[in-house]
Amino acid sequence: MSKTTVGEALVAGLKARGVTCVFGIPGVHTVELYRGLAESGIRHITPRHEQGAGFMADGYARVSGQPGVAFVITGPGLTNTLTPMAQARADSVPVLVVSGVNATGTLGKGRGHLHELPDQHALAKTVALTSEHVARPEDLDAALDRAFAPFTAGRPGPAHIQIPLDVAGASARDGTPHPATARLPLDPDQISKAANRLSTADKVVILAGGGAKRAGAELQALAEHLDAPVVQTVNARGLMHGHALTVPASPSLQAVRTLIEDADCVLALGTELGPTDYDMYATGSMARMPELIRVDICAGQLARHAAEITMTGRADEAAAALLDALPALPKQSEGAARAKHARTAALEEIGPQYRAQVEVLNAMRDAVPGALMVGDSTQPVYAGNLYYDHDRPGGWFNAATGYGALGYGIPAAIGASVADPSAQVICIAGDGGAQFSLPEIMAAVDETLPITFVIWNNRGYGEIASSMEAVDVPVVGCDPTPPEFGPAAASFGIPYTRVPMDPQAIAAALQEASRRGTPSLVEIEITGSSPVQE
């Protein structure tokens, strides 16, 4: 009887921890990691680039709520995933990257071995929450435990495990598991203090971040009890869709800042208060937040901003506990009127060009209800991040905030579709961003995924050009020629439609594409205006 190898034990360990899908490109330095994969029942998706693997794992994790896993080779495979790992860290997304590394006896010697880095482990540590080096077969179990720990306790993010070539094929041995980190319960004294403050306030405003996106029912019940407008950051969009108390607008907008500053108590649930949400115009300040109460799963994050009351815990549990601790009689504080005024003023504030993009997004949403809308850094995504009310919690996400990695949309949409095969997925990418990751569409073709790839084609980086012009820098490099997307779609073997920037035409194209249940490409051709960043 053959003995189980470390690579086979790794796959078994992932399956035991609930992993059902891996995104990866096999190579000579990961052959042993693949030994047990075919028999494991874990699905394998093959991207066209390791950066695509990382972004697919990110999109998968955001939709499934489970860690997205990528298998990559030593050296360039690992460095190609550093950008997705950094995006995952910025947005608190649980992603595990498993890589090979050169044989133990060669590490740090600088002798020119294939894919050699001076210190791959140290490099990964600069981005990952934890990077584990499996030096001996018996180290594997504890390494897996430590890598998975941030996914279940504390603020999630990217983790990394590397296994040397000589260790991956060695016989597995039982090791000593690392005890899982337990989540700390909410502090009842802080809940009591916060509830008392909320009950005495006349005008509460709630700030909901990405940490609250799975707390929809609890958030809505608390907001209704407090009669409090709810401002959603980008990663919280889709919560309380269409509700009278919802404010699906950026807290960087002056209209929303005014709403926040006019409150006499602000409750922040699962938001890091980062500048790409709260100061995207780089004014150097955020809205003043009176009597701030903060809830976050990460104690370190709570320490980064001054607050009157802080609580370490999950947003759903905190919202439920606060509701239980509040007086039984709901507040009456004209919350719906305050929210409506903020929505109206915010929509006016973003200007006619962005309002036109929001009309397009609304048409997309209404044409394909309940779709996952995954975006890259492009004009309609910028517009939606400023103001857009999606109809599915967690169904609007993109890489235009936080780390801001271009090329995210196409592979992340693939990961999202794998996570929820029943959902229609709409990927919004600009012609520039699409060129970062266009070949990944073939992974969607391989898997027959119901994704409509929408290319916003205005043929350039106009926003960057405007920024250069604003400071008297000669404009260089802002007009890359895009490919012809019709022939590109034909080469992929997928349907293609080109439409003008007309909400009704776009909606009709999306409805037709969604009925197919296969990948499609819709190009929105923008004419008669200067290009913008894509």
Side-chain angles (χ1 to χ4, degrees):
M1 179 182 293
S2 60
K3 293 184 178 180
T4 300
T5 66
V6 169
E8 290 173 310
L10 167 73
V11 172
L14 293 174
K15 184 174 182 178
R17 289 165 175 81
V19 174
T20 59
C21 181
V22 167
F23 303 91
I25 302 176
V28 295
H29 281 193
T30 53
V31 167
E32 286 297 336
L33 303 186
Y34 277 77
R35 183 177 292 280
L37 198 60
E39 299 81 13
S40 70
I42 294 177
R43 184 180 183 182
H44 184 273
I45 309 292
T46 306
R48 281 13 182 203
H49 189 279
E50 288 94 354
Q51 179 170 282
F55 285 145
M56 288 179 193
D58 177 297
Y60 177 90
R62 293 191 198 224
V63 172
S64 71
Q66 301 300 313
V69 181
F71 274 18
V72 299
I73 65 166
T74 308
L78 188 279
T79 56
N80 283 339
T81 57
L82 288 175
T83 294
M85 289 167 70
Q87 185 71 50
R89 181 156 186 160
D91 287 345
S92 303
V93 180
V95 169
L96 173 62
V97 173
V98 180
S99 75
V101 71
N102 289 98
T104 303
T106 71
L107 298 179
K109 301 294 177 59
R111 292 174 178 166
H113 287 272
L114 180 65
H115 303 328
E116 183 177 11
L117 283 167
D119 192 340
Q120 180 176 290
H121 190 204
L123 180 63
K125 282 182 176 180
T126 65
V127 178
L129 294 178
T130 178
S131 177
E132 301 294 328
H133 176 77
V134 181
R136 304 170 303 165
E138 57 266 35
D139 295 340
L140 177 64
D141 284 341
L144 282 166
D145 285 340
R146 287 192 294 269
F148 273 78
F151 305 154
T152 56
R155 198 177 189 90
H160 169 245
I161 296 175
Q162 66 175 26
I163 304 178
L165 296 177
D166 54 315
V167 175
S171 295
R173 301 175 194 169
D174 292 335
T176 303
H178 184 83
T181 303
R183 285 191 294 108
L184 295 175
L186 289 162
D187 185 335
D189 289 338
Q190 294 298 89
I191 288 289
S192 178
K193 289 178 183 178
N196 181 64
R197 181 66 195 95
L198 290 167
S199 66
T200 58
D202 292 323
K203 294 192 298 182
V204 177
V205 167
I206 298 174
L207 308 177
K213 70 180 182 180
R214 301 185 191 280
E218 296 85 355
L219 173 66
Q220 181 170 325
L222 180 62
E224 290 173 348
H225 194 84
L226 293 171
D227 198 23
V230 179
V231 177
Q232 294 116 48
T233 67
V234 168
N235 285 328
R237 297 294 174 81
L239 291 170
M240 296 175 60
H241 169 66
H243 196 283
L245 291 172
T246 200
V247 183
S250 170
S252 292
L253 294 170
Q254 187 55 52
V256 183
R257 287 187 170 199
T258 298
L259 172 71
I260 296 168
E261 292 182 343
D262 284 349
D264 56 3
C265 185
V266 175
L267 172 62
L269 294 171
T271 173
E272 67 177 358
L273 304 178
T276 56
D277 271 307
Y278 291 85
D279 187 28
M280 65 172 293
Y281 297 114
T283 65
S285 65
M286 297 191 297
R288 183 180 59 85
M289 300 179 185
E291 298 292 322
L292 177 62
I293 301 170
R294 286 194 72 194
V295 177
D296 198 279
I297 203 166
C298 175
Q301 180 58 241
L302 290 173
R304 291 175 188 144
H305 293 276
E308 295 296 321
I309 300 171
T310 61
M311 289 178 282
T312 304
R314 285 176 21 174
D316 56 346
E317 294 176 352
L322 286 169
L323 185 61
D324 287 344
L326 286 167
L329 188 65
K331 278 183 174 297
Q332 298 294 325
S333 61
E334 299 184 342
R338 290 187 288 139
K340 182 179 180 179
H341 179 77
R343 289 195 302 269
T344 302
L347 189 59
E348 178 66 23
E349 185 179 336
I350 66 175
Q353 185 178 14
Y354 274 159
R355 282 198 296 274
Q357 313 315 321
V358 172
E359 287 184 22
V360 168
L361 294 175
N362 289 340
M364 289 180 171
R365 177 198 63 209
D366 296 342
V368 191
L372 296 166
M373 206 171 287
V374 185
D376 216 320
S377 295
T378 191
Q379 187 177 22
V381 171
Y382 296 148
N385 286 349
L386 283 174
Y387 189 104
Y388 173 64
D389 189 12
H390 197 54
D391 63 352
R392 172 176 175 156
W396 168 270
F397 61 90
N398 55 77
T401 60
Y403 195 62
L406 200 57
Y408 172 87
I410 290 173
I414 292 169
S417 186
V418 172
D420 186 353
S422 68
Q424 291 290 329
V425 179
I426 299 171
C427 172
I428 305 173
D431 58 284
Q435 292 180 73
F436 277 53
S437 51
L438 196 63
E440 301 298 353
I441 290 177
M442 286 307 299
V445 174
D446 288 346
E447 303 296 327
T448 319
L449 300 176
I451 305 173
T452 303
F453 297 97
V454 178
I455 307 297
W456 184 267
N457 189 359
N458 51 22
R459 313 181 74 85
Y461 298 132
E463 185 160 314
I464 300 301
S466 298
S467 298
M468 296 171 80
E469 290 171 346
V471 292
D472 296 323
V473 173
V475 177
V476 176
C478 292
D479 56 352
T481 301
E484 292 295 328
F485 288 102
S491 74
F492 296 148
I494 63 175
Y496 164 80
T497 306
R498 182 167 62 187
V499 294
M501 200 201 93
D502 173 75
Q504 289 185 337
I506 294 168
L510 288 181
Q511 286 176 333
E512 181 181 357
S514 68
R515 285 192 287 267
R516 298 189 186 106
T518 60
S520 299
L521 193 150
V522 173
E523 179 183 0
I524 301 175
E525 189 170 31
I526 312 302
T527 58
S529 63
S530 61
V532 296
Q533 184 188 12
E534 300 184 316

